[in-house]
Amino acid sequence: MAAPRERKDDHLLYADAVGSRGKSGVWFGEREAFQTRQHDVMEDVKEKVSWVPLENAVMAVSLDPPGIVVMAPNPSLPGIIVLADGATPENSEQLKSQYTSIVKEVMDKQGLTVETEDDEAGGSQAG
Amino acid sequence: MDMATARPVERVWDRYFLFDLGESAAIFDPVRLETVYLDAAETRAVREGDEGQITATLSEFGFTPGTGEPVDLPGDVTNHLAHLGINGDPSHIAGYRIVVTDKCNMKCSYCFVDTNTGAPDLTEEDLRLGLDLLFEVNQGRPEVTYQWFGGEPTIRPDLMMAGDHYARELAEKFDVGSIQPTVVTNGAKINDDLIAHFKEFRYGVGVSIDGPPPTNANERVLLSGKPADERIHRNIQRMLEAGIHVGANVTPTQWNVHELPAIVDYIVSLGIKFLYVNTPIPAQGTWIAHGPDLARNLYQARMRALSRGGMLFSHLDRIYQALDSRRPRVFEHLQGCGGVNAALLPGGRISLLDLNWRDPRFIFTLDEVRKDRSLLGRAAKDLHPFDGCKTCPALAICGGPSQNERLLRRTQVPTDDFCGFFNEGLALAVADNTALQ
C-alpha cells in the first residue's frame, strides 16, 4: 500500500559546510544534554506501559537494504528477538530474514537448538 | 537491491520521477519534495500506465496528472519557494569565518586559500571592529557562533584569545546568551595554552584529517614535506582528555573518496565520533572527486559512522533534510536561523561569501554592511542557470551551483561531477527512508 516518506523536521544541522557548530562537532559534543532528555522521556513512557528491560540489546545498521535491526536476548525466554525496520514492508521483511539467519548461524555454531517463529510484534525470534 | 542502480528510470505524468526499488518503487515530486513508496502491485500499475488505478492512489498524496500544458519545473519551484516564504535574502550576519592569517604550515593543493603570500594578518583592531558589528546585529539572540580560520589560525593564538575575551564582553553588552567559538585547524600546533583556552571557552575544534597516515600524506604534510600525523594524533588525545569537543573535517579527493567508510573506522579509532566531510571545493577549477562515487561512498560512510556510535555529516545531508522536511534547500548560504555566515577579512572588510575573499562584488567595509542591509542579498545565487536544471529531479535541492562554486570555476554551468553527485545522492536518499540521522 502506498505510503509517504516519513516526515522529519528536527534535523540538527542545517545544510551547508559553513555551520560552525556542525563542522567542528560542537553539536555532537552536546549529546549528553539530549541523552538526559531521552532518559527523562523514557522514564515517563515507562509509567504508561508494561515493560521489561532489554539488556544487551544491539542495533545493527544495514546498508543494503537500508534499515536498522534491533537484536536482544528475550528477557523471559531462551531466544533472541530480532526486530527490523527497513522503512518499506519489503525491506523490513528482508532485513528480518537476513538478521534472523545470522542469529541462527551463531546459535548453530554454538550447538544450540534453533527454532524460529514470528512474534506478535512483527519481529522474529530465534531460539 | 544494488544501491548503485537506484536511479530515476521513468517520468510519470511528465513532472514526477519513478525510482526503481526492486519490485517496488518510489514516486518523487521534485517540486514539493514529496516521496511516496509504492508496493509491487502499485508499481506495476504505474509502469503499465493503468491510469484509472494509479490516479486514485497517487492523488491521495497530491500527485496529479498533467493538464496538457507544458511542464515548467523551475517555474514551479520558484512559485513553491514564494509560497513557503523562502528567498535567498539573508536576514542578518549570523556568524563569521574569521580569517586570522594566510600563513599556514601546510600547503594542500585543494585549499581555496592563497597561503603564505606575505599579506598582513588580521589586526586586533580589525578583529574588535568586526566583532562589534557581529554582536550589534545579533543583539538579544541566544547564541553567536564564529569560526577561526586561516591559513592555519593557531599560528596566531594571541588573536584567537584576544577575540574570544572581547566576544565575551560583547555578549554581555548586547544581551547575547552565549558565544560558541570554533576553529578549523590542522592540529599540528595545538599546545597546552590553547588547550586550556579551548576548554575555558567550550570550543568546538575541527581537525582536518583526510585518512590514515598514508592517505593523509597525499595532501596534508608540513611545508617541509614531512608528515605530522603522530603529533596531530597526540594533540587530539590531549584535547579529548581535556573534555574538548573535537570533530574531524575530511576533504574528499581522488585519493580517499573510495576509502571513506574505512576512514570513518580510522577516525573513530582516534576517539573522534563526529566527522564532517567537506563539500568539494573546485580550487583548481574542478572537483577532485567523482561526484556519483562521492555520493555512494558518503552514503556508506554515513551508515558506518552510525553503526560505530558516531555521526557523519556532509552535503548528502542537504538531500536527506530536503526530502525528510519537504523543504527546498536551494540556498545553501542561508543558515538555519535565516542569516548568513560571512568571512571577516583583514583590513576591516567582510566577504559575503565565506569561501571567496577576492571578488569585489561581494566584499564590503564594515560600515557599508552596517548602513545597507540589502547588500547581504548579493550572497544569493540565481536559481537554475543551466538548461539541464529544467529536467533535473534535484532542482529544488541544489538549485544550481553555489556562488562560491561559480566564482571558483568562473562559470554558472555545473560540472558532471556536481550534477552527478546530486542525482546519485537523491537516488540513495529516496531509497533510504529510515530517517536515522
Side-chain angles (χ1 to χ4, degrees), chain B residues 236-255:
Chain B
I236 288 170
Q237 293 314 313
R238 290 161 67 207
M239 288 192 283
L240 290 172
E241 283 161 17
I244 292 164
H245 302 151
V246 182
N249 298 332
V250 180
T251 297
T253 66
Q254 72 267 39
W255 312 110

Side-chain angles (χ1 to χ4, degrees), chain A residues 14-16, chain B residues 275-279 298-299 302 312-319 321 421 437:
Chain A
Y14 202 61
D16 201 26
Chain B
L275 291 90
Y276 193 99
V277 180
N278 293 314
T279 306
L298 282 174
Y299 171 80
R302 181 180 193 263
L312 179 142
F313 272 85
S314 73
H315 227 46
L316 195 59
D317 289 277
R318 181 170 162 195
I319 302 172
Q321 290 174 13
F421 172 81
Q437 180 172 308

Side-chain angles (χ1 to χ4, degrees), chain B residues 107-410:
Chain B
K107 187 159 183 64
C108 312
S109 72
Y110 55 59
C111 186
F112 63 92
V113 184
D114 289 330
T115 53
N116 301 316
T117 64
D121 293 348
L122 204 71
T123 65
E124 201 166 325
E125 191 188 0
D126 292 338
L127 185 54
R128 290 172 77 95
L129 292 172
L131 288 170
D132 284 343
L133 173 64
L134 180 64
F135 281 83
E136 272 170 44
V137 299
N138 283 281
Q139 182 157 14
R141 291 185 192 270
E143 186 178 73
V144 163
T145 68
Y146 53 89
Q147 182 185 72
W148 297 102
F149 204 81
E152 170 51 44
T154 59
I155 286 175
R156 292 300 305 270
D158 56 323
L159 285 176
M160 294 170 64
M161 291 177 186
D164 291 330
H165 284 285
Y166 188 54
R168 187 184 265 173
E169 282 176 34
L170 290 172
E172 199 169 327
K173 181 176 170 186
F174 288 100
D175 192 27
V176 168
S178 62
I179 58 171
Q180 179 58 71
T182 64
V183 59
V184 173
T185 175
N186 59 38
K189 290 184 70 69
I190 308 288
N191 58 26
D192 288 343
D193 288 346
L194 268 174
I195 289 174
H197 181 76
F198 290 164
K199 193 169 168 61
E200 180 187 347
F201 281 85
R202 297 183 65 251
Y203 260 65
V205 180
V207 181
S208 303
I209 307 172
D210 290 349
T215 306
N216 208 35
N218 285 304
E219 291 282 352
R220 308 197 64 81
V221 292
L222 298 172
L223 291 174
S224 63
K226 290 182 184 164
D229 299 73
E230 279 184 31
R231 195 198 314 170
I232 293 166
H233 296 173
R234 274 200 306 277
N235 289 339
I236 288 170
Q237 293 314 313
R238 290 161 67 207
M239 288 192 283
L240 290 172
E241 283 161 17
I244 292 164
H245 302 151
V246 182
N249 298 332
V250 180
T251 297
T253 66
Q254 72 267 39
W255 312 110
N256 67 5
V257 67
H258 297 104
E259 296 173 23
L260 286 172
I263 289 170
V264 169
D265 291 340
Y266 173 71
I267 288 175
V268 168
S269 79
L270 299 178
I272 295 177
K273 292 287 189 77
F274 186 95
L275 291 90
Y276 193 99
V277 180
N278 293 314
T279 306
I281 297 167
Q284 311 296 330
T286 186
W287 283 23
I288 53 171
H290 182 255
D293 279 354
L294 177 61
R296 284 190 286 269
N297 281 283
L298 282 174
Y299 171 80
Q300 295 195 15
R302 181 180 193 263
M303 292 295 208
R304 185 75 70 94
L306 287 167
S307 70
R308 299 286 184 278
M311 291 184 84
L312 179 142
F313 272 85
S314 73
H315 227 46
L316 195 59
D317 289 277
R318 181 170 162 195
I319 302 172
Y320 274 89
Q321 290 174 13
L323 297 191
D324 293 344
S325 67
R326 279 69 162 169
R327 200 166 169 81
R329 290 284 189 250
V330 289
F331 294 118
E332 60 276 272
H333 64 291
L334 293 180
Q335 301 300 295
C337 61
V340 65
N341 273 358
L344 178 64
L345 306 174
R349 297 168 307 141
I350 279 182
S351 173
L352 298 180
L353 305 183
D354 65 307
L355 297 185
N356 189 295
W357 310 333
R358 286 190 215 138
D359 194 307
R361 288 173 296 169
F362 302 98
I363 295 175
F364 302 100
T365 65
L366 296 169
D367 276 344
E368 285 170 331
V369 173
R370 187 178 270 117
K371 282 178 190 153
D372 185 0
R373 197 204 63 84
S374 72
L375 292 174
L376 303 184
R378 294 199 191 180
K381 67 190 182 190
D382 298 327
L383 296 179
H384 312 126
F386 166 61
D387 262 0
C389 298
K390 292 177 186 165
T391 53
C392 176
L395 87 168
I397 298 169
C398 96
S402 67
Q403 293 275 39
N404 285 315
E405 174 115 0
R406 293 174 196 196
L407 288 168
L408 287 165
R409 298 194 56 247
R410 297 189 180 87

Side-chain angles (χ1 to χ4, degrees), chain A residues 1-9 11-31 59-68 85-88 90-91 94, chain B residues 1 21 23-24 35-37 39 42 61 143 147 180 182 204 245 247 249 273-274 276 278 299 303 311 313 315 321 323-326 329 332 334-336 341 354 429 431-437:
Chain A
M1 191 174 165
R5 185 180 181 89
E6 192 175 325
R7 186 177 277 278
K8 187 179 174 206
D9 290 309
H11 297 97
L12 290 150
L13 296 181
Y14 202 61
D16 201 26
V18 288
S20 299
R21 293 165 61 80
K23 192 163 185 175
S24 58
V26 171
W27 173 81
F28 191 72
E30 290 171 355
R31 67 181 173 155
M59 182 176 86
V61 179
S62 168
L63 279 170
D64 188 11
I68 53 175
D85 179 6
T88 64
E90 193 183 64
N91 284 355
Q94 191 182 331
Chain B
M1 182 184 55
L21 303 177
E23 285 184 12
S24 59
T35 316
V36 171
Y37 296 90
D39 65 22
E42 291 160 339
F61 301 99
E143 186 178 73
Q147 182 185 72
Q180 179 58 71
T182 64
H245 302 151
N249 298 332
K273 292 287 189 77
F274 186 95
Y276 193 99
N278 293 314
Y299 171 80
M303 292 295 208
M311 291 184 84
F313 272 85
H315 227 46
Q321 290 174 13
L323 297 191
D324 293 344
S325 67
R326 279 69 162 169
R329 290 284 189 250
E332 60 276 272
L334 293 180
Q335 301 300 295
N341 273 358
D354 65 307
D432 174 13
N433 182 27
T434 49
L436 266 179
Q437 180 172 308

